[in-house]
Amino acid sequence: MFSFQINSNCSSTRARVGCLNTPHGDVHTPQFMPVGTLGTVKGVSPDQLLKTGSEMILANTYHLHLQPGEEIVHEAGGLHKFMGWDQPILTDSGGYQVFSLGKLNKIDDEGVEFKNPRDGSHLKLTPEIAIQIQMSLGSDIAMAFDQCPPYPATFNDVEEACLRTHNWLERSIAIHNKSDQALFGIIQGGCYPELREESARVVSSFNLPGIAIGGVSVGEPSDQINHIVRKVAPLLPEGIPRYLMGIGSLRELAIAVSNGIDLFDCVMPTRLGRHGTALVSGERWNLRNATFRNDHKPLDETCLCETCTNHTRAYLHHLIRSEELLGLTLLSVHNISHLIRFTRAMGRAIEDGCFSEDFAPWQKDSIAHYTW
Amino acid sequence: MFSFQINSNCSSTRARVGCLNTPHGDVHTPQFMPVGTLGTVKGVSPDQLLKTGSEMILANTYHLHLQPGEEIVHEAGGLHKFMGWDQPILTDSGGYQVFSLGKLNKIDDEGVEFKNPRDGSHLKLTPEIAIQIQMSLGSDIAMAFDQCPPYPATFNDVEEACLRTHNWLERSIAIHNKSDQALFGIIQGGCYPELREESARVVSSFNLPGIAIGGVSVGEPSDQINHIVRKVAPLLPEGIPRYLMGIGSLRELAIAVSNGIDLFDCVMPTRLGRHGTALVSGERWNLRNATFRNDHKPLDETCLCETCTNHTRAYLHHLIRSEELLGLTLLSVHNISHLIRFTRAMGRAIEDGCFSEDFAPWQKDSIAHYTW
């Protein structure tokens, strides 16, 4: 029910073009997943999302566990039916959220106890519970429960989190028994190369259908992320999809892809959209800016998304200035489309042998300009 | 460029089915117009709006004058281009808003001076300015500038507002010179039958391509609105579209149509949507209500709109509870679709001779049930 084919390898980097088959359709890699935290990519309808070219979205186990609860989603026939999205869905394990959002009461080898920020009640996540929730949600890809240490953290703390993450991975695998759902493992290790290496070795040893690099984008500088990716990616098995969690800047995407990463997710495009910011040609434009007031050109003249084919910068400026909901929707639609377009362009460039780590196809003097 | 044909008359009421031809397409009457105050129907994209079956929207001259200003819209090629809506648009005159929203500084026969609520600056609207703005916006139908008295108001105050409205209508007609835009007049008169009659007589005398009943839904009881409609509608010329401003409840729509009204607008469907309320079978459902938590039926099982064909009550409940933008969008889409469906059903029933003032086609024992 799951398979991953590598269809093309880059001639000059470790990048590859592949296809991940899931019960809800194919995911062409490299691929960016918009984040649909609560069973909705904020402000974007499933129909609009499909038109961005998105093939798979990420939903948050932690958030859906709190609201509406996985029983409701399961009753509805699973998350795809519940949210009206008939394409692949990946659920994270809740590990990242429980450590970054929850008020922690207790962490031990068993799992994590925390306070529900919605009503103050006490909740518990263990590898077993996190996997049970994801099986109830019915995503195509589930993530093993992990401990995501903050940044900065001491070597000892990160080492402990690694050991626990590896133990929790074993328990996640043991409890997981849903044949139409793939379980991916997560590598931790913070910014400590030797811990990352060890974690990559351990997680790779489980013969999983996919592996993620977690614990990045937790506050560390961007060059640390790139450093980790360069270090870890080459250690991962060749024939399975590799997923770099929580990363969405074009620069980091290109570096990660050139090191053999296939999948990405990030709240950035929708969060920026909700703040009135558009991604255009590698830049961030604040549409609130008065320079757009009477700029009647399409948002991005080279973009074919719903927003850019129908709406101008002046209109978007007007919507954002007027705090109209549609402005947030249209910018989110464009920003997602922009990232999808970027990953597709990378794929094309890899196939054609003109991909490089500094990939910036919107630049007219780029040899890969035709892929944009 | 404008014409109005009556294609069918009701056998038992004054209702009729017609078609208004405009430069941006046909509007089949009876027709409900969603309100796109600031050049956007709140939370709904033009594409989503088209799928509701809406044929014409209303935009607010007052709001667009304040933001972004009609020069920007004109520069963009007019409001249709600015907002990406290639169907008919009607603009109101700003009269209602200036009297209900603005801080009035001065009203006299010349016009109205008021404070811009956005920046405190002093602004002025006169019939000439209101028409100039609407010509710049480039709507298909412009409304004459009127004085809309509040409710309650004394006979003398309403009489004065009527005289001024009639004078302003003359001046609106005198300044209007845009052949691809129709100018409609507005009847005032508050809840005073003799003033309404006189206003209907005066406004009808101008041989306009359309007439509106204004100054309703300003706080008076519902039966007063119906009383005014019953009184005024029969006095209006037969061969032109008649528009009842600001009305959107199904009950009042059916009564108005049975008295020969053709056009309606109301913020109600989108405002209710933004408050988590859905219109279903003549009822208002608060989707926040816990009874919907695990109700996995489509929102309205008989509705073919984007929301009802793709989403359940449980999902909408979840979105509303989670304060997700998509919930507001999906409920607005459904509520607009519901009103469009209702006006279409009225049209069908009029053609088939089964329309009546108490039209409620969702009821299984209604002889017009098949029109739903």
Side-chain angles (χ1 to χ4, degrees):
Chain A
M1 203 166 270
F2 289 91
S3 62
F4 180 65
Q5 304 89 41
I6 295 171
N7 298 319
S8 194
N9 283 287
C10 182
S11 50
S12 56
T13 73
R14 302 179 57 89
R16 68 259 189 96
V17 171
C19 184
L20 171 64
N21 316 112
T22 83
H24 286 87
D26 291 345
V27 179
H28 296 86
T29 64
Q31 178 79 209
F32 174 80
M33 296 180 278
V35 176
T37 303
L38 272 159
T40 161
V41 174
K42 289 191 188 302
V44 180
S45 76
D47 190 45
Q48 289 169 325
L49 195 58
L50 208 56
K51 289 187 195 152
T52 64
S54 298
E55 292 181 343
M56 176 156 67
I57 63 164
L58 176 143
N60 288 117
T61 293
Y62 169 87
H63 290 93
L64 289 167
H65 177 55
L66 301 188
Q67 162 67 31
E70 61 277 10
E71 311 81 16
I72 298 280
V73 176
H74 187 67
E75 256 182 43
L79 188 53
H80 301 82
K81 288 232 170 81
F82 183 64
M83 66 177 287
W85 172 255
D86 201 28
Q87 310 294 311
I89 299 175
L90 178 148
T91 41
D92 66 7
S93 65
Y96 176 80
Q97 280 74 27
V98 86
F99 289 103
S100 62
L101 301 177
K103 283 204 173 171
L104 293 179
N105 294 117
K106 197 175 126 195
I107 315 175
D108 61 17
D109 291 341
E110 166 67 7
V112 185
E113 290 178 29
F114 61 101
K115 201 176 257 190
N116 182 341
R118 300 178 81 97
D119 62 9
S121 63
H122 285 273
L123 291 171
K124 192 172 172 176
L125 273 185
T126 64
E128 290 76 16
I129 295 171
I131 297 299
Q132 287 289 4
I133 296 171
Q134 293 181 78
M135 291 196 291
S136 290
L137 294 174
S139 54
D140 299 276
I141 299 173
M143 300 302 296
F145 192 57
D146 61 329
Q147 179 173 350
C148 180
Y151 177 88
T154 66
F155 185 91
N156 283 351
D157 283 351
V158 177
E159 187 177 33
E160 193 182 71
C162 277
L163 292 173
R164 196 166 273 151
T165 294
H166 301 156
N167 172 262
W168 287 356
L169 172 57
E170 274 198 70
R171 285 164 54 192
S172 294
I173 294 168
I175 195 87
H176 186 262
N177 65 348
K178 189 166 160 55
S179 62
D180 60 350
Q181 183 181 61
L183 177 66
F184 284 18
I186 301 178
I187 292 163
Q188 290 291 346
C191 292
Y192 299 101
E194 54 274 54
L195 294 179
R196 284 285 178 186
E197 270 179 50
E198 171 64 8
S199 189
R201 197 190 57 74
V202 173
V203 176
S204 297
S205 72
F206 285 97
N207 200 19
L208 292 160
I211 289 186
I213 302 177
V216 288
S217 199
V218 292
E220 75 281 27
S222 169
D223 59 353
Q224 286 275 16
I225 298 174
N226 299 332
H227 188 68
I228 294 165
V229 169
R230 287 187 218 278
K231 191 84 193 170
V232 174
L235 306 175
L236 304 180
E238 262 301 304
I240 59 171
R242 302 152 173 176
Y243 163 28
L244 181 62
M245 303 183 83
I247 297 296
S249 92
L250 302 189
R251 194 74 270 111
E252 286 155 4
L253 250 65
I255 291 173
V257 164
S258 73
N259 282 283
I261 301 292
D262 307 297
L263 292 170
F264 304 90
D265 79 280
C266 194
V267 295
M268 185 268 290
T270 42
R271 184 170 290 165
L272 286 181
R274 291 199 306 283
H275 287 88
T277 299
L279 300 168
V280 181
S281 304
E283 296 176 355
R284 293 182 179 191
W285 290 3
N286 181 352
L287 266 295
R288 192 175 287 278
N289 197 307
T291 56
F292 297 113
R293 191 169 165 270
N294 56 357
D295 185 341
H296 299 293
K297 288 196 274 296
L299 173 57
D300 177 343
E301 294 177 90
T302 71
C303 178
L304 297 175
C305 81
E306 184 188 341
T307 303
C308 293
T309 49
N310 292 308
H311 301 292
T312 63
R313 299 166 191 175
Y315 183 59
L316 292 163
H317 169 81
H318 163 66
L319 293 178
I320 296 297
R321 281 279 176 124
S322 308
E323 296 180 1
E324 284 285 351
L325 296 179
L326 184 60
L328 318 180
T329 295
L330 293 177
L331 288 182
S332 296
V333 162
H334 167 72
N335 289 346
I336 293 169
S337 302
H338 188 74
L339 277 169
I340 297 295
R341 182 185 184 193
F342 185 71
T343 49
R344 281 192 185 166
M346 285 196 286
R348 177 106 189 260
I350 293 164
E351 285 167 347
D352 293 358
C354 61
F355 178 70
S356 60
E357 204 179 271
D358 59 354
F359 190 66
W362 53 84
Q363 289 172 353
K364 292 220 170 63
D365 59 356
S366 160
I367 53 162
H369 182 53
Y370 75 97
T371 65
W372 195 232
Chain B
M1 203 166 272
F2 289 91
S3 63
F4 180 64
Q5 305 89 41
I6 295 171
N7 298 319
S8 194
N9 283 287
C10 182
S11 50
S12 56
T13 73
R14 301 179 57 88
R16 68 260 189 97
V17 171
C19 184
L20 171 65
N21 315 112
T22 83
H24 286 87
D26 291 345
V27 179
H28 297 86
T29 64
Q31 179 78 210
F32 174 81
M33 296 180 277
V35 176
T37 304
L38 272 159
T40 161
V41 174
K42 290 191 188 301
V44 180
S45 76
D47 189 46
Q48 289 169 325
L49 195 58
L50 208 56
K51 289 187 194 152
T52 65
S54 298
E55 292 181 343
M56 177 156 67
I57 63 164
L58 176 142
N60 289 116
T61 293
Y62 169 87
H63 290 93
L64 289 167
H65 178 55
L66 301 188
Q67 162 66 31
E70 62 277 11
E71 310 81 15
I72 297 279
V73 176
H74 187 66
E75 256 182 42
L79 188 53
H80 301 82
K81 288 232 170 79
F82 183 64
M83 66 178 287
W85 172 254
D86 200 28
Q87 310 294 311
I89 299 175
L90 178 148
T91 41
D92 66 7
S93 65
Y96 176 80
Q97 280 74 27
V98 86
F99 290 103
S100 62
L101 301 177
K103 283 204 173 172
L104 292 180
N105 293 117
K106 197 176 126 194
I107 315 175
D108 61 17
D109 291 342
E110 166 67 7
V112 186
E113 290 179 28
F114 61 101
K115 201 176 257 191
N116 183 341
R118 300 178 80 98
D119 62 9
S121 63
H122 285 272
L123 290 172
K124 192 173 173 176
L125 273 185
T126 64
E128 290 76 15
I129 295 172
I131 298 299
Q132 287 290 4
I133 296 171
Q134 293 181 79
M135 291 196 292
S136 289
L137 294 174
S139 54
D140 299 276
I141 299 173
M143 301 302 297
F145 192 57
D146 60 329
Q147 179 173 351
C148 180
Y151 177 88
T154 66
F155 185 91
N156 283 351
D157 284 351
V158 177
E159 187 176 33
E160 193 182 71
C162 276
L163 292 173
R164 195 166 275 150
T165 293
H166 301 156
N167 172 263
W168 287 355
L169 172 57
E170 274 198 69
R171 285 164 54 193
S172 294
I173 293 168
I175 194 87
H176 186 262
N177 65 347
K178 189 167 161 55
S179 62
D180 60 351
Q181 182 180 62
L183 177 66
F184 284 18
I186 301 178
I187 292 163
Q188 289 291 346
C191 292
Y192 299 101
E194 54 274 55
L195 294 178
R196 283 286 178 185
E197 270 179 50
E198 172 64 7
S199 189
R201 197 190 56 74
V202 173
V203 176
S204 297
S205 71
F206 285 96
N207 200 19
L208 292 160
I211 290 186
I213 302 176
V216 288
S217 198
V218 292
E220 75 281 27
S222 169
D223 59 353
Q224 286 275 17
I225 298 174
N226 299 332
H227 188 68
I228 294 166
V229 168
R230 287 186 218 278
K231 191 84 192 169
V232 174
L235 306 175
L236 304 181
E238 261 302 304
I240 60 171
R242 303 151 173 176
Y243 163 28
L244 180 62
M245 303 183 82
I247 297 296
S249 92
L250 302 189
R251 194 73 270 112
E252 286 156 3
L253 250 64
I255 291 173
V257 165
S258 73
N259 283 282
I261 301 292
D262 307 297
L263 291 170
F264 304 90
D265 78 280
C266 194
V267 295
M268 185 268 291
T270 41
R271 184 170 290 166
L272 286 181
R274 291 199 305 283
H275 287 88
T277 299
L279 301 168
V280 181
S281 303
E283 296 175 355
R284 293 183 178 191
W285 290 3
N286 181 352
L287 265 295
R288 192 175 287 278
N289 196 307
T291 56
F292 296 113
R293 191 168 165 270
N294 56 357
D295 185 340
H296 299 293
K297 288 197 274 295
L299 173 57
D300 178 343
E301 294 177 270
T302 71
C303 178
L304 298 175
C305 82
E306 183 188 340
T307 303
C308 293
T309 49
N310 292 308
H311 301 292
T312 63
R313 299 166 191 176
Y315 183 59
L316 292 162
H317 169 81
H318 163 67
L319 293 178
I320 296 297
R321 281 280 176 122
S322 308
E323 296 179 0
E324 284 286 351
L325 297 178
L326 184 60
L328 319 179
T329 295
L330 293 177
L331 288 182
S332 296
V333 162
H334 167 72
N335 288 346
I336 293 169
S337 302
H338 188 74
L339 277 169
I340 297 295
R341 182 184 183 193
F342 185 70
T343 49
R344 281 192 185 166
M346 285 196 287
R348 176 106 190 260
I350 294 164
E351 285 167 347
D352 293 357
C354 62
F355 178 70
S356 60
E357 203 178 271
D358 59 355
F359 190 66
W362 53 84
Q363 289 172 352
K364 291 220 170 61
D365 59 356
S366 161
I367 53 162
H369 182 53
Y370 74 97
T371 65
W372 195 234

